[in-house]
Amino acid sequence: MHEDRFTIVEDLVAPGDPASNHHLVDYETQALVSKLWSAYIARAREGLARTPAIPAMRRVSYSLDNECLPGQPLQRGIRAASRSRRACTFEAGLWHADDGRMVHLAEMVTVFVDPSQGAVEIPQDLWASVEKIEGRQIPIAERTSTTSS
């Protein structure tokens, strides 16, 4: 239902006992989205030379719009939305497969960290792989000045 919004979309079933009358809570739905982020990063790094720069989530924000119950068919999706020199933002969602009602919508800011240096620029080969997955170029966002004259 949201295939036009996200680059990668997967089918899944909400975890847990379908006989229970308890909905999935925030950390359960976020785990489903975070696992997709991990799979996206692994796919982007596939076949690339090892680098000391490791992707790490810097900030995650999300909204919970509808409930879902264990055993319900769901879909989840993710896309790279934007980037700067040292960070990129992914948008991800989890929704009901039957009618598209969004359960969980997330924004995940990802930085790249070299343990000996701290935050570093996104490796060029990794970003080329992300753009290949996305099927489009994602330019570095220009910084806007926060000072006034």
Side-chain angles (χ1 to χ4, degrees):
M1 297 241 162
H2 295 279
E3 289 84 0
D4 57 335
R5 183 174 183 176
F6 298 104
T7 306
I8 297 173
V9 174
E10 297 179 348
D11 295 319
L12 67 152
V13 175
D17 180 4
S20 76
N21 289 328
H22 301 287
H23 67 274
L24 273 67
V25 295
D26 63 328
Y27 62 85
E28 292 172 306
T29 58
Q30 179 57 35
L32 296 173
V33 170
S34 288
K35 287 178 183 176
L36 185 58
W37 173 85
S38 294
Y40 188 110
I41 295 295
R43 181 175 168 185
R45 293 175 79 176
E46 197 171 277
L48 301 180
R50 289 186 64 102
T51 174
I54 331 169
M57 279 195 212
R58 179 175 183 213
R59 185 184 73 232
V60 177
S61 58
Y62 57 85
S63 62
L64 303 169
D65 299 320
N66 287 285
E67 293 182 341
C68 67
L69 300 171
Q72 288 184 316
L74 302 171
Q75 288 185 304
R76 62 184 173 187
I78 191 167
R79 76 181 196 102
S82 63
R83 71 167 289 195
S84 66
R85 287 183 319 107
R86 294 181 181 222
C88 58
T89 300
F90 290 91
E91 293 176 351
L94 177 70
W95 60 91
H96 288 275
D98 58 352
D99 61 11
R101 284 178 297 130
M102 193 62 69
V103 173
H104 185 112
L105 191 58
E107 180 180 84
M108 298 174 280
V109 177
T110 304
V111 295
F112 292 79
V113 178
D114 179 328
S116 67
Q117 300 178 43
V120 295
E121 289 191 17
I122 300 170
Q124 290 181 347
D125 60 346
L126 179 95
W127 196 255
S129 181
V130 166
E131 290 181 330
K132 185 175 180 181
I133 291 168
E134 294 294 325
R136 62 187 167 90
Q137 288 190 328
I138 304 170
I140 295 173
E142 296 295 321
R143 291 187 103 176
T144 56
S145 175
T146 57
T147 59
S148 58
S149 39

